[in-house]
Amino acid sequence: MAHTETTLNSQTIFSGRIIEVKKDDIQLENGKKSIREVVVHHGGVCVAAIDQEDRLLLVRQFRYPYGKELLELPAGKLEKGEDPRDSGLRELREETGLIPGVFESMGVSYSSPGILAERIYLYFAKDLKQGPTQPDDGEFVETVWIPYPELMDMARRGEIVDGKTLAGLLKASFLLGN
């Protein structure tokens, strides 16, 4: 049996540069009414880039909501109406300067489907050429190459906590046969 909920009314509570917050009145499949609070985001991309030495590239950056630096796969937000593949190539080039010879889709990940309407498109990049970085204004990242087995151990030990990075590593492991 397919489950569904029907939107009866939708109200925008907040509209900012990156997100919109909505409060929706809904009807459940049993006929009862409820409320859903939803954060709407245009989506993002995340790229697992691997070099000839089986190292993956991560970026270290400060994440304000957690008050600390995190290690993450290169990623960024989609511009409104932007093709996810184009966004992935752009973000990889801007943050790391890398230009891939191979750039494959690994599907999509829903960050937190209970409250967040965001899709993160996952990509795998290899046959990399180094070019200049072009970080966004106010974006400060340090690139770190980590051997694939070591990175998977870091994920197992809980040292990698970013959801899109964990999803990207899982999907990349299928392509790498590990």
Side-chain angles (χ1 to χ4, degrees):
M1 175 177 136
H3 298 287
T4 186
E5 297 178 352
T6 304
T7 305
L8 302 173
N9 182 48
S10 183
Q11 178 185 8
T12 298
I13 304 298
F14 171 80
S15 186
R17 288 183 315 110
I18 298 172
I19 64 162
E20 180 178 287
V21 179
K22 294 171 32 174
K23 178 179 169 259
D24 293 354
D25 298 315
I26 61 135
Q27 184 170 356
L28 303 170
E29 61 190 69
N30 66 1
K32 292 184 178 180
K33 293 184 178 154
S34 191
I35 294 172
R36 297 289 181 252
E37 296 169 343
V38 180
V39 178
V40 180
H41 186 279
H42 293 299
V45 294
C46 180
V47 181
I50 193 163
D51 70 5
Q52 303 281 36
E53 299 172 40
D54 284 339
R55 299 178 305 169
L56 278 117
L57 182 68
L58 279 79
V59 294
R60 181 186 325 270
Q61 60 186 323
F62 183 82
R63 290 301 195 178
Y64 180 81
Y66 301 102
K68 65 181 181 177
E69 288 182 325
L70 297 180
L71 273 175
E72 306 172 35
L73 290 174
K77 66 182 184 310
L78 282 168
E79 300 301 328
K80 191 170 186 174
E82 184 178 26
D83 177 78
R85 179 182 170 80
D86 293 342
S87 178
L89 289 166
R90 175 182 52 77
E91 286 292 341
L92 184 63
R93 185 184 68 253
E94 286 177 0
E95 289 188 2
T96 71
L98 293 175
I99 302 164
V102 173
F103 197 71
E104 297 178 37
S105 172
M106 296 191 297
V108 66
S109 174
Y110 295 171
S111 301
S112 184
I115 62 160
L116 182 57
E118 176 189 41
R119 290 175 176 84
I120 298 184
Y121 298 87
L122 306 168
Y123 291 94
F124 180 77
K126 64 181 184 177
D127 299 335
L128 308 168
K129 291 188 170 93
Q130 186 65 57
T133 61
Q134 302 166 326
D136 290 334
D137 188 36
E139 183 175 44
F140 305 97
V141 300
E142 171 192 351
T143 57
V144 181
W145 287 98
I146 301 176
Y148 174 74
E150 182 182 331
L151 183 54
M152 294 305 280
D153 284 341
M154 291 172 72
R156 279 191 229 17
R157 290 190 305 263
E159 296 170 28
I160 304 297
V161 295
D162 172 58
K164 69 187 174 305
T165 296
L166 292 168
L169 291 176
L170 175 65
K171 291 287 198 145
S173 74
F174 300 142
L175 294 174
L176 297 169
N178 297 313

